[in-house]
Amino acid sequence: MKKLSQAWAVTRYNFRQWHKNPRIVITFGLAFVLCFLLSDKAVRFAHEYDATMQIVEAFVWTFGDSNSILLSSLLLLLLFADMPFLSAGTPFYLSRIDRRTWMMGQALYVALATCMYLVFILISTSLVCMGNSFIGDMWSETAAILGYSGAGQKVALPALVKTLEMSTPYACMGTIFLLMLLYALLMAFIMLCCNIWKGQLAGIVGVLGFSLYGFLLNPQLLKVIFQLPDALMYKANVAVGWLSPLNHATYHMHNFGYDLLPRMWQTCLIFGVLIIGCFLLALRAIRRYNFVFSGTEA
C-alpha cells in the first residue's frame, strides 16, 4: 500500500503540471477541432435528410473508422511529448522512492491522461451534434438511412447493418471507446518504453512506425498495391484483422458470429498482453536510465 500511495503521489504531481501548460491546451484544442472536422460528415448528412441523430452516433460513425482512430491517437505525441516527465520535482521523488515505484506512477498517469483525452473526444463529438439529437438508447433515422440504404458507404461512414441489428447506441459507443482506449494506451506505452530505452527521438520514431504499420495494413490499400482479385479479399481482410493493431481497434473489423475475424475478448486480450509487455520493458529499462535535469549534473 505504501508503494501504491507513493506512485499515486507521482501521478498527482504530473497532473499538477497541466496548470497553465500551453502544450496541454493546444492538445485538447486540436482534439476538439479534429472531432469537429471528422464528425461534420455525419452531421451534414443528418441535416440534408432533415433527420435527427442519437447523441453518441457522431462518435460511433466517426470513430468506427480506422483512419479517424489513427488521427486522434497521433495527438498523444503532443500530450506525452515530455515522457518520462522529468521536472523540478522529480529529484525530490527519486530521493524518497525507488525507480520502479516512480515508474508505476508515470504509467498510471499515462493511463489516466489517455482516458481523460478520449472522454474529451467523446464529449466533443456529442457537442457537435447535440442541436439535432436525442438521448434515447435507440438508433436514429439517420442511422437507418446510412445503414439500410447503403448511403454510409457513399459518404465514407461505417454505418453497417450488423452494427444496427446487433447493438444499441450506448453499447456500441462503449465498445468503440474501449477499443480506442486500448489502442491509444498501447501507443502511449510503446512511446514510453522507447523513450526510456533510447531517448525521445526513438519514442517518436517508434510511435510513427507503429502508426504507419497499422495504416499500411489496410485491405483496400493492399488490394490496390498488390492487384488482389475480389476472390482473395476476404482472406486479406481476415489476415489484416488479426495482424494490424489499428484494425483490432476498429469496431466492424471483429467477429459478430459469422466470420473468422477476432472477437472482442481476443482483441482485449492481445492489447492487454502487449501493453503489459511494454510496461515490463519500461520497468526493466528504468534501472539503467540516466536522469538528466536542467541546471543540474546527471
Side-chain angles (χ1 to χ4, degrees):
M1 289 298 295
K2 180 180 179 181
K3 288 185 179 296
L4 182 61
S5 176
Q6 292 172 336
W8 178 240
V10 174
T11 301
R12 292 201 313 270
Y13 179 79
N14 285 343
F15 275 115
R16 285 199 294 269
Q17 304 307 304
W18 283 26
H19 182 62
K20 295 183 179 180
N21 188 329
R23 179 170 48 79
I24 304 300
V25 175
I26 291 172
T27 300
F28 283 89
L30 289 176
F32 182 82
V33 172
L34 181 66
C35 290
F36 176 80
L37 294 175
L38 292 177
S39 59
D40 186 56
K41 286 188 296 184
V43 176
R44 281 192 290 108
F45 184 88
H47 280 295
E48 288 174 5
Y49 282 83
D50 194 25
T52 58
M53 295 181 65
Q54 209 281 342
I55 196 164
V56 299
E57 280 182 1
F59 177 82
V60 169
W61 306 138
T62 299
F63 294 101
D65 178 70
S66 59
N67 292 330
S68 298
I69 296 172
L70 178 62
L71 289 173
S72 63
S73 298
L74 283 174
L75 284 177
L76 292 175
L77 276 171
L78 185 57
L79 184 63
F80 298 137
D82 57 343
M83 282 199 290
F85 314 115
L86 303 183
S87 62
T90 304
F92 171 82
Y93 282 103
L94 289 174
S95 65
R96 288 161 175 78
I97 61 178
D98 59 80
R99 292 188 176 203
R100 292 172 65 88
T101 304
W102 180 82
M103 191 67 226
M104 289 173 59
Q106 304 301 325
L108 182 58
Y109 165 74
V110 168
L112 292 176
T114 302
C115 189
M116 290 173 62
Y117 170 76
L118 292 180
V119 168
F120 178 81
I121 284 180
L122 172 60
I123 294 173
S124 297
T125 53
S126 298
L127 289 175
V128 169
C129 71
M130 69 180 301
N132 187 38
S133 63
F134 61 91
I135 62 174
D137 194 16
M138 63 181 71
W139 297 111
S140 67
E141 300 172 84
T142 304
I145 297 171
L146 285 169
Y148 291 103
S149 70
Q153 295 181 351
K154 297 179 182 178
V155 295
L157 290 172
L160 304 178
V161 174
K162 64 183 180 182
T163 301
L164 303 179
E165 294 181 345
M166 301 184 69
S167 65
T168 59
Y170 289 117
C172 187
M173 177 271 292
T175 303
I176 291 175
F177 183 90
L178 175 62
L179 293 173
M180 288 181 65
L181 177 61
L182 291 172
Y183 179 81
L185 283 176
L186 178 57
M187 177 182 286
F189 275 90
I190 287 174
M191 187 176 179
L192 178 61
C193 184
C194 291
N195 278 13
I196 295 174
W197 274 102
K198 295 294 182 180
Q200 290 185 340
L201 179 59
I204 294 174
V205 172
V207 167
L208 292 178
F210 174 76
S211 301
L212 184 62
Y213 170 74
F215 176 76
L216 292 178
L217 277 182
N218 181 291
Q220 298 303 321
L221 183 61
L222 292 178
K223 179 180 180 180
V224 173
I225 294 175
F226 296 107
Q227 301 283 307
L228 295 177
D230 291 338
L232 291 177
M233 278 305 296
Y234 175 73
K235 292 183 178 180
N237 196 59
V238 171
V240 166
W242 281 97
L243 294 174
S244 169
L246 183 57
N247 281 284
H248 273 287
T250 307
Y251 181 75
H252 67 267
M253 291 294 290
H254 286 85
N255 186 332
F256 289 90
Y258 49 81
D259 54 34
L260 299 175
L261 289 167
R263 295 182 180 272
M264 291 295 177
W265 71 266
Q266 292 170 324
T267 285
C268 293
L269 178 62
I270 291 170
F271 273 127
V273 170
L274 293 175
I275 291 169
I276 292 172
C278 288
F279 175 61
L280 292 177
L281 287 174
L283 279 180
R284 182 177 180 181
I286 199 65
R287 294 182 299 179
R288 301 178 182 177
Y289 185 76
N290 183 27
F291 287 90
V292 178
F293 303 102
S294 178
T296 65
E297 295 183 358

